[in-house]
Amino acid sequence: MPATFTRTPAHEVERKDTGIGGRPPVDKRPTGGGGGDENWDRHGHGRGGPRELITRYRMALIFGLSGDLMFFIAIVSIFFARQATGHFDARNDYVMDWRPIYLPSILFINTAIMLVSSLTMEIARQQLFRETDVMDEWLGIGRPMSRRATPWLLATIALGLLFLGGQWIAWEQLSEAGVFFSGNPASHFFYLITGAHGAHLLLGLVALGAAIAGVYWLKRVEYRQILVDCTAWYWHSMGVLWF
Amino acid sequence: MSWLRRHVFTTNHRSVGLLYLALVAIAVAIGVVLSLLMRIHLAWPALCFPGWGVMKPEDYLALVTIHGTLMVFFVLTIGPQNAFPSLILPGQIGAKGMAFPALNAVSLWMTALSLFVLLAAFLVPMGAPISGWTSYPPLSAIAAAGPGQALGMDCWLLSLAIFAVGQIFGAINILATIIDTRVKGMTLGRMPLTVWSWLISSTLVLPAFSVLLAALVLLFCDRHLATSFFVPLGDAVAGHVIRYGDGSPLLWLHLFWFFGHPEVYIAILPGMGLASSLFANFSRRPVVGYKLMATMTVAIGLLGFLVWGHHMFVSGMNPYAGTAFGLTTMAIAIPSTIEVLSWMGTLWAGSKRRGGLILKTPMLFALGFLSFFIAGGLTGPILAQPALDIYLHNTFFVVAHFHLIMAMAGAFSLFAGVYYWFPLITGRRMNETLGRFHFWFTLIGAYGTFFPMHLQGLAGKPRHYADLTGPAASLLPNLLPSERGITFSALLLAASQTFFLVNLIWSALRGLKADANPWQATTLEWRPSSEEELKLIRHGPYEYDVAWTESDFIPQWAEGGDQE
Amino acid sequence: MKMQSASPSWLPPNAAAHGFAMDHLMRWNLAVLGLCFLIAHALLFILLLRRSKSSTGSPVPRSWMVQVVPIVLFAAIYLTMAITAERLWASKRFEGAAPQSMQVEVTGRQFQWYFRYPGTDATFGRLDPSLIQPANGNPLGINPADEHGKDDIVASELVLPVGREVDLTLRAQDVIHGLFIPAMRLKQNAVPGQLLHVHFTPVAEGTYPIVCSQVCGLGHARMQARLRVIGAGEFKAWLASKEAAR
């Protein structure tokens, strides 16, 4: 139970507490004292064991993504609110300028590509955590985990590029159909959201490239894992967001 | 090159914290100069400034806009939320540094860049924007709507977008640091209240600044990509009618204030946490109701997301929404009052000791913080009532309210932090006498400046008015003397800061050497670095008034301890 | 007839029907909060100066009374404030104006207020933003093809008969403006793209300033107008003179 006070030790001690820098009473009980708190696994900086760094980076990614998510949530809720607004303007005419966009079919293909790329990414990520391979790589005997992961990473990059290409084609199809960014609010949102998503995906591709490079260049095994792992979760989130 | 690397592109958390404080200093100096220019113009409207001429209305509005933006973002957000956590947080939780030191440095440089871009707004053609720090569209969305709304507005947008991303990175860092790098034994229930406040304010930063970023992006699209998120159909500005799309200016208000209200809590919560720690330290008493205080911090943070509409009572929002926001805003008064009562309780307990409260300079500033918090906070419930806000919205009553509660209380908490942690950073103490002069003159100057503004607001004086002529002059006939009085107080307030500057520089160079823990504090950042690496703590954060030890406190890093 | 109103002394005298309740609310709010401010600071000074003789202070009394009573008291104060204020708000805003209230349209544009009366047909004419030409006498862009617009009266001061409820329709042509009539205890933003309604009843004759309360550009401080509240007969005469002048 958290507390602001700790009581005196039950037994007498010979050495008095002389304030700062002096010798505090020695706690002779077997349990090591302070038995109420729940975080004995919290080993502190630098001594958290093999999972410490990756937990930390994953946490940072989660916080960052939640901020990013909030950004998209804001835009999407405005989208829904806007969809529902029609009002009487100064001329007493009912104004409802919302014209829904008919989505080009290529977007459904893109969704499928997104799914598959998440799959390849996940497989790549799993390769980096196989214990036996990790041990081998850590000991310096060959690079089995990196070798297994690389083709899947490359596949994910290829699919990502395909996806972005598909987005580009979708944009071209829409502009040929006369739907521009500045046309009407629905198109504003469409371009804005897909544009932001695409920009994030480009960042993801850069991260993937860095991951492949890192897998071969980074010295510490943990860092390789972290890079690929974080990239993977980022990629999955982008997939979820796309839905 | 290595000098650059060590002193400028450093990732050491203390250096980054000091660089943040340098940014705060630059921003506050410029912000104060801008406000003094405004005040001088208000008192002597026909005054011809040397080298500049008489102040034009758009100049005045540009000063208001940049003053507000600088102070709210670059002083009251980065001071409590970036500078002090970077300096102090790792020490207080027993960590060696921030969780992501490189990210910390990246945030710093993004913030520096954003300050530069903002200040560049003064130098671009047509000058700085004139739409206030809140930039309501269509004024902010259409370049033709006023001078400074073209390039100047773009500078403002870009600056805040960079700032927002920098803040998000900073919040990620603080959250990861608090959650992941606390020393063994430091449970949530043993964190000092400053750490609690950083935890909550960082949690607020993530959604709030993301929504601000969304709003900025949409405004950018409206300005440059011919969208109309915020501009309605048929809007006719300067002879030109907008014919595309049909947006709503109210949308910006919702987005901006959804960000804007949590922002002010981000600015004040760390100060509240520091006040708790300082009251405990200088009363030699534990914080009254520690768990309650931590809970109230969380409550204020959460409730802070539900009250944004109280900035919009007269905006054209649905009156039922006005009722709802009025109620939530009144509700948030309760945790704030509880915090004040707890502080009073701690102080009262401390006043009963022989010698009373220890009135060193940090404590004086913490008491000043409390005074301003009460003064500014008490006008909150008035403004929370929509029926009264109808009259008071955008008058100087509101200006008085937020300057007392945010600017003065926030500034006093920054001063308290500097005086308090100066020995930790430099190993020397600041001069007490100069500190006392600084405190009293600033307090008097601040009340002299902002208290009369309540009366001006009650008389009906609107905000953002460069001068009062026309029918407004008949409305407010007696205000010129009060303008002069306020301006003199403001000049006194600004001049009083020389005590601080002199003290700071002189003490850094030649101040008295300080002991390891000069304030006899319990919190971990004061642990002497000569001791071996801290592996475990067993004590709570505010173990003062401990009768059985020779000193009257048990520092948090002491050994021994017991189950609860 | 000027009515005596007990406004807090810094407010301009009240001249609107709902203003008395608002002033009363303002007065007791200020009194209560001002008192809290003084008590709190008195307490702070006492604590600042107190020096006890004994060496150990007693801890904060555990009695629940000291701990709970202040917060309950404050909560009660806040609750009372909230309830009284919400009642007043609801009475003013939840219902629209009475059907027989006078209709006036207020348009804000950089940096001028225009007030439009519907004329004998009691209907406002249609507006077209592309027809806005202040230099040619059509600052609101009234469509000349519209019959209803022919008898509209556009003025740059707001003239109202005393004692009659008026329903203002607020419009803005370009940016957000704020209509603030301190003597009528009235403030409402005029938002482009929206038609917003506020209603009030002036009860005292006189001339009152109207100021803009939402920063709207470089002329914000100059965007002022006058409200003249006159007797019913005078008002009729004024309307007639405006129609004749058209």
Side-chain angles (χ1 to χ4, degrees):
Chain A
M1 203 180 102
T4 54
F5 273 111
T6 46
R7 286 193 289 276
T8 52
H11 54 280
E12 265 315 300
V13 288
E14 325 82 58
R15 284 184 290 171
K16 279 212 172 300
D17 188 355
T18 53
I20 312 162
R23 305 272 214 98
V26 175
D27 188 295
K28 292 198 174 76
R29 288 165 301 145
T31 60
D37 52 322
E38 68 274 10
N39 280 312
W40 289 117
D41 294 328
R42 191 162 301 292
H43 296 278
H45 219 119
R47 270 173 276 116
R51 301 292 294 180
E52 181 201 358
L53 271 179
I54 201 171
T55 326
R56 192 175 300 176
Y57 278 94
R58 274 189 188 155
M59 198 186 304
L61 194 70
I62 288 175
F63 288 134
L65 282 177
S66 58
D68 213 8
L69 185 67
M70 199 62 205
F71 176 88
F72 278 100
I73 286 179
I75 297 192
V76 167
S77 27
I78 301 170
F79 171 81
F80 283 120
R82 197 71 170 74
Q83 219 178 19
T85 54
H87 64 270
F88 290 91
D89 74 351
R91 288 187 257 177
N92 291 335
D93 291 329
Y94 188 67
V95 176
M96 178 54 150
D97 63 345
W98 190 267
R99 272 178 286 284
I101 298 187
Y102 294 99
L103 302 172
S105 51
I106 193 166
L107 290 179
F108 295 101
I109 301 180
N110 263 356
T111 310
I113 294 181
M114 191 90 238
L115 272 172
V116 176
S117 76
S118 261
L119 203 62
T120 56
M121 185 75 229
E122 185 59 22
I123 297 179
R125 195 184 74 82
Q126 301 273 355
Q127 303 304 331
L128 280 176
F129 285 94
R130 284 196 203 196
E131 209 173 315
T132 46
D133 292 346
V134 174
M135 280 311 298
D136 280 350
E137 201 150 321
W138 189 78
L139 288 169
I141 317 169
R143 288 172 173 260
M145 77 178 189
S146 309
R147 245 181 304 124
R148 282 200 204 184
T150 312
W152 295 104
L153 285 175
L154 284 170
T156 313
I157 290 188
L159 288 169
L161 285 168
L162 258 180
F163 180 89
L164 282 178
Q167 292 285 77
W168 191 257
I169 296 179
W171 281 15
E172 289 210 329
Q173 285 182 345
L174 279 173
S175 67
E176 258 163 58
V179 181
F180 294 102
F181 183 53
S182 44
N184 73 71
S187 68
H188 296 161
F189 281 104
F190 179 80
Y191 282 106
L192 190 62
I193 294 180
T194 53
H197 184 255
H200 280 77
L201 224 65
L202 257 176
L203 281 176
L205 283 177
V206 168
L208 272 172
I212 292 193
V215 152
Y216 286 101
W217 287 346
L218 284 178
K219 298 228 174 58
R220 291 182 65 183
V221 167
E222 296 97 333
Y223 283 138
R224 288 181 221 155
Q225 289 182 319
I226 290 173
L227 191 50
V228 178
D229 185 75
C230 285
T231 310
W233 290 113
Y234 180 81
W235 196 260
H236 293 326
S237 321
M238 291 300 117
V240 168
L241 196 59
W242 174 248
F243 270 141
Chain B
M1 182 57 197
S2 69
W3 179 89
L4 262 180
R5 181 175 271 255
R6 218 155 30 95
H7 291 274
V8 176
F9 294 117
T10 173
T11 57
N12 172 280
H13 71 101
R14 280 208 184 164
S15 310
V16 170
L18 289 174
L19 286 170
Y20 265 122
L21 280 181
L23 286 180
V24 171
I26 296 173
V28 81
I30 298 179
V32 166
V33 166
L34 297 183
S35 71
L36 288 178
L37 288 172
M38 285 154 50
R39 284 294 347 154
I40 291 175
H41 175 78
L42 282 174
W44 298 283
L47 182 67
C48 194
F49 289 91
W52 189 15
V54 180
M55 194 185 289
K56 302 196 285 295
E58 57 268 33
D59 295 337
Y60 181 84
L61 289 176
L63 291 178
V64 172
T65 305
I66 303 295
H67 167 80
T69 311
L70 273 176
M71 294 306 211
V72 172
F73 291 109
F74 293 93
V75 177
L76 293 171
T77 307
I78 66 174
Q81 176 61 14
N82 292 92
F84 281 111
S86 195
L87 276 172
I88 302 296
L89 174 63
Q92 278 200 342
I93 57 176
K96 287 209 198 94
M98 301 290 282
F100 300 107
L103 190 63
N104 204 18
V106 165
S107 304
L108 168 73
W109 292 109
M110 290 182 82
T111 310
L113 177 65
S114 107
L115 179 62
F116 176 75
V117 172
L118 181 71
L119 294 175
F122 278 120
L123 303 171
V124 297
M126 296 296 268
I130 60 173
S131 37
W133 86 284
T134 53
S135 291
Y136 288 177
L139 180 58
S140 57
I142 297 176
Q149 294 306 92
L151 260 182
M153 190 66 212
D154 286 331
C155 284
W156 188 91
L157 270 178
L158 183 62
S159 163
L160 285 192
I162 298 175
F163 185 87
V165 176
Q167 281 302 304
I168 293 175
F169 286 163
I172 293 175
N173 215 344
I174 294 180
L175 286 170
T177 308
I178 294 177
I179 294 181
D180 205 44
T181 65
R182 278 173 287 148
V183 71
K184 188 159 155 180
M186 164 112 28
T187 61
L188 285 179
R190 283 187 180 153
M191 297 195 312
L193 286 170
T194 38
V195 179
W196 271 103
S197 68
W198 285 320
L199 178 66
I200 301 304
S201 61
S202 304
T203 314
L204 296 183
V205 164
L206 282 181
F209 275 93
S210 305
V211 171
L212 176 68
L213 199 56
L216 293 172
V217 166
L218 295 181
L219 188 58
F220 176 83
C221 292
D222 266 11
R223 287 170 59 81
H224 296 287
L225 298 175
T227 57
S228 59
F229 292 108
F230 305 123
V231 180
L233 183 67
D235 201 50
V237 181
H240 175 68
V241 180
I242 310 286
R243 288 260 169 240
Y244 50 80
D246 188 22
S248 169
L250 228 56
L251 178 61
W252 169 269
L253 268 79
H254 279 292
L255 287 174
F256 184 85
W257 288 116
F258 183 83
F259 148 75
H261 200 83
E263 158 71 358
V264 311
Y265 287 115
I266 292 166
I268 201 72
L269 280 176
M272 294 166 76
L274 180 62
S276 303
S277 286
L278 291 184
F279 288 144
N281 196 158
F282 293 97
S283 319
R284 312 309 295 167
R285 294 284 180 272
V287 168
V288 168
Y290 168 88
K291 264 198 270 187
L292 190 62
M293 290 295 263
T295 316
M296 289 302 108
T297 308
V298 174
I300 293 176
L302 288 179
L303 276 176
F305 274 111
L306 301 179
V307 300
W308 78 91
H310 68 234
H311 302 272
M312 299 168 57
F313 286 137
V314 300
S315 63
M317 196 172 60
N318 186 325
Y320 295 111
T323 302
F325 282 117
L327 292 172
T328 53
T329 308
M330 200 61 95
I332 208 170
I334 298 202
S336 315
T337 308
I338 293 180
E339 295 237 359
V340 170
L341 290 173
S342 158
W343 289 328
M344 293 287 213
T346 310
L347 289 174
W348 186 77
S351 74
K352 302 186 98 198
R353 58 189 287 282
R354 181 166 64 184
L357 299 172
I358 300 177
L359 296 177
K360 298 283 184 196
T361 310
M363 176 62 154
L364 285 178
F365 276 94
L367 288 168
F369 168 88
L370 180 56
S371 167
F372 287 121
F373 190 85
I374 292 175
L378 281 175
T379 49
I382 293 190
L383 292 167
Q385 301 170 48
L388 295 179
D389 192 59
I390 289 278
Y391 187 82
L392 296 171
H393 172 77
N394 263 4
T395 60
F396 262 68
F397 193 89
V398 180
V399 174
H401 166 75
F402 65 71
H403 275 96
L404 283 175
I405 182 90
M406 218 172 120
M408 285 298 104
F412 269 53
S413 78
L414 289 177
F415 284 133
V418 171
Y419 280 104
Y420 186 65
W421 281 311
F422 190 85
L424 187 68
I425 306 293
T426 61
R428 299 176 186 272
R429 299 178 76 138
M430 288 182 80
N431 183 286
E432 281 292 317
T433 314
L434 282 177
R436 259 182 224 134
F437 271 105
H438 180 212
F439 170 72
W440 285 108
F441 276 99
T442 307
L443 188 78
I444 294 171
Y447 270 115
T449 308
F450 298 113
F451 215 84
M453 290 187 181
H454 290 112
L455 306 181
Q456 289 190 326
L458 285 171
K461 178 176 171 196
R463 287 171 73 177
H464 304 119
Y465 268 45
D467 48 27
L468 299 166
T469 55
S474 68
L475 169 72
L476 310 159
N478 299 321
L479 280 195
L480 200 53
S482 71
E483 300 284 9
R484 299 239 163 101
I486 293 176
T487 300
F488 283 125
S489 291
L491 288 166
L492 173 67
L493 179 59
S496 310
Q497 306 317 304
T498 41
F499 288 116
F500 178 67
L501 287 171
V502 164
N503 198 351
L504 196 65
I505 297 174
W506 196 87
S507 304
L509 297 173
R510 301 217 180 183
L512 287 172
K513 287 258 190 236
D515 325 318
N517 188 356
W519 311 117
Q520 306 271 290
T522 54
T523 42
L524 269 183
E525 77 272 22
W526 293 105
R527 182 171 165 272
S529 51
S530 54
E531 295 191 9
E532 55 180 46
E533 193 181 348
L534 185 65
K535 290 198 173 58
L536 168 69
I537 59 152
R538 290 192 175 92
H539 291 275
Y542 297 117
E543 293 191 17
Y544 296 101
D545 197 19
V546 173
W548 57 88
T549 55
E550 259 187 33
S551 65
D552 66 342
F553 72 109
I554 299 181
Q556 204 167 16
W557 61 88
E559 291 183 33
D562 203 335
Q563 71 267 33
E564 295 84 36
Chain C
M1 179 193 66
K2 265 226 183 291
M3 289 166 86
Q4 278 301 340
S5 58
S7 326
S9 49
W10 308 284
L11 270 70
N14 170 45
H18 67 264
F20 301 105
M22 202 207 91
D23 282 0
H24 175 71
L25 195 64
M26 179 82 82
R27 214 166 6 105
W28 79 255
N29 266 275
L30 285 173
V32 168
L33 295 173
L35 194 64
C36 290
F37 173 78
L38 290 172
I39 294 178
H41 278 78
L43 199 59
L44 272 180
F45 267 109
I46 293 174
L47 296 179
L48 206 65
L49 299 170
R50 195 170 167 186
R51 303 265 183 277
S52 172
K53 295 290 189 304
S54 59
S55 59
T56 57
S58 52
V60 177
R62 295 284 169 208
S63 149
W64 66 271
M65 292 271 291
V66 171
Q67 293 178 346
V68 169
V69 164
I71 188 58
V72 166
L73 196 63
F74 273 103
I77 294 177
Y78 296 144
L79 195 60
T80 313
M81 285 177 173
I83 292 178
T84 48
E86 296 299 346
R87 282 226 190 102
L88 188 57
W89 176 250
S91 70
K92 276 170 46 176
R93 289 296 179 109
F94 283 5
E95 286 174 22
Q100 68 272 23
S101 58
M102 198 171 92
Q103 297 288 321
V104 180
E105 190 194 68
V106 180
T107 301
R109 95 182 231 114
Q110 286 179 327
F111 299 100
Q112 176 76 38
W113 292 103
Y114 294 105
F115 305 97
R116 181 159 75 136
Y117 297 80
T120 43
D121 63 354
T123 312
F124 291 110
R126 288 166 66 113
L127 301 172
D128 185 348
S130 52
L131 297 174
I132 293 175
Q133 285 188 345
N136 288 347
N138 191 3
L140 303 181
I142 299 177
N143 193 333
D146 186 13
E147 283 303 311
H148 293 294
K150 292 218 185 336
D151 62 347
D152 288 354
I153 299 169
V154 179
S156 56
E157 59 170 359
L158 180 60
V159 181
L160 295 176
V162 65
R164 183 165 174 207
E165 187 180 17
V166 59
D167 179 24
L168 296 179
T169 306
L170 278 98
R171 295 180 52 244
Q173 280 183 356
D174 38 31
V175 299
I176 303 182
H177 297 278
L179 182 75
F180 181 28
I181 314 178
M184 297 294 153
R185 308 294 189 257
L186 183 79
K187 182 180 293 146
Q188 178 64 48
N189 279 3
V191 181
Q194 294 197 7
L195 294 171
L196 296 164
H197 286 261
V198 281
H199 56 97
F200 66 100
T201 306
V203 296
E205 297 184 29
T207 304
Y208 309 106
I210 299 176
V211 294
C212 179
S213 62
Q214 178 56 46
V215 64
C216 53
L218 65 89
H220 171 62
R222 298 302 168 94
M223 188 167 166
Q224 298 167 28
R226 278 184 227 274
L227 163 63
R228 273 198 306 134
V229 180
I230 52 186
E234 269 182 80
F235 181 70
K236 269 204 174 121
W238 177 82
L239 268 184
S241 71
K242 281 294 198 180
E243 279 162 23
R246 196 163 13 85

